[in-house]
Amino acid sequence: MRNIVVGVLLILVSIGLVGCFGMKDNEDILRIHIRANSNEVQDQDVKYKVKESVVNYLTPKVAGCESVEMVIDVLNTDKCNIVKVVNNVLIENGFDYGCTVDIREEYFPTRVYEECTLDADFYDALIISLGSGEGDNWWCVVYPPLCFKDTRNVVYKSKLMEIIGKYF
């Protein structure tokens, strides 16, 4: 019985790794890339504050989007407000440099997000550069939503763990 359970687990893990949210190719993905002004501690700290504000601002706006095209339309329509959100964070934290916000194709290295691996390649991305944008950066995926999930009222259950628990 244990061999059957282990075999089923291996098959499920393999399917999960291959499936990767059902993404067919790079055209089904929109990434986000926030570049800090520099690698100074204060520039890196404000980068994460910007990330938090941008994610909080955009989450309800992209939550109902059913395609990468819909997300890009929302972001293009709301680009001025995204700039305001970012600049407000910068000003509140004493920075006088501004930001640029753009949506364009950009190269990303291979990145593993939980059970999903995105190969190194060119991807469409929301690019937010703080000041010179020459510091270390933060990136994630807007669509399908890896960074843009409202998890406040979510209770996570694992059916797989329930099944395993019955046998062990």
Side-chain angles (χ1 to χ4, degrees):
M1 183 56 102
R2 277 191 184 166
N3 289 341
I4 293 172
V5 171
V6 170
V8 169
L9 286 175
L10 290 174
I11 291 169
L12 291 173
V13 168
S14 298
I15 291 169
L17 292 174
V18 171
C20 196
F21 304 108
M23 292 183 273
K24 295 176 234 109
D25 55 37
N26 298 0
E27 293 176 9
D28 295 331
I29 301 169
L30 180 71
R31 299 180 80 159
I32 182 171
H33 193 179
I34 300 176
R35 298 176 173 144
N37 181 57
S38 75
N39 286 334
E40 297 293 322
V41 172
Q42 63 273 17
D43 283 334
Q44 290 297 311
D45 288 346
V46 80
K47 171 188 71 182
Y48 289 109
K49 291 177 182 177
V50 165
K51 182 231 13 153
E52 184 177 331
S53 292
V54 168
V55 169
N56 288 339
Y57 176 75
L58 289 178
T59 295
K61 295 187 174 296
V62 300
C65 293
E66 297 176 5
S67 70
V68 71
E69 293 81 11
M70 287 177 70
V71 174
I72 290 172
D73 287 344
V74 167
L75 296 178
N76 277 323
T77 301
D78 214 30
K79 198 182 294 186
C80 290
N81 289 324
I82 297 168
V83 169
K84 287 178 187 176
V85 167
V86 173
N87 283 336
N88 285 339
V89 173
L90 294 173
I91 290 166
E92 288 170 4
N93 287 277
F95 294 93
D96 59 359
Y97 55 74
C99 71
T100 58
V101 174
D102 196 17
I103 300 167
R104 66 176 183 268
E105 189 176 67
E106 181 164 288
Y107 181 82
F108 287 84
T110 298
R111 182 71 190 246
V112 178
Y113 299 95
E114 298 173 6
E115 72 278 352
C116 179
T117 300
L118 296 179
D119 294 328
D121 207 342
F122 287 89
Y123 294 85
D124 287 332
L126 171 64
I127 311 295
I128 300 173
S129 294
L130 310 178
S132 68
E134 294 178 5
D136 287 342
N137 55 71
W138 172 87
W139 65 72
C140 202
V141 179
V142 178
Y143 188 86
L146 291 179
C147 315
F148 292 76
K149 294 181 181 180
D150 185 356
T151 58
R152 290 174 288 193
N153 297 315
V154 176
V155 176
Y156 293 96
K157 292 175 128 185
S158 172
K159 194 67 171 165
L160 186 58
M161 290 308 292
E162 289 175 16
I163 293 168
I164 291 170
K166 289 180 183 178
Y167 294 101
F168 298 101

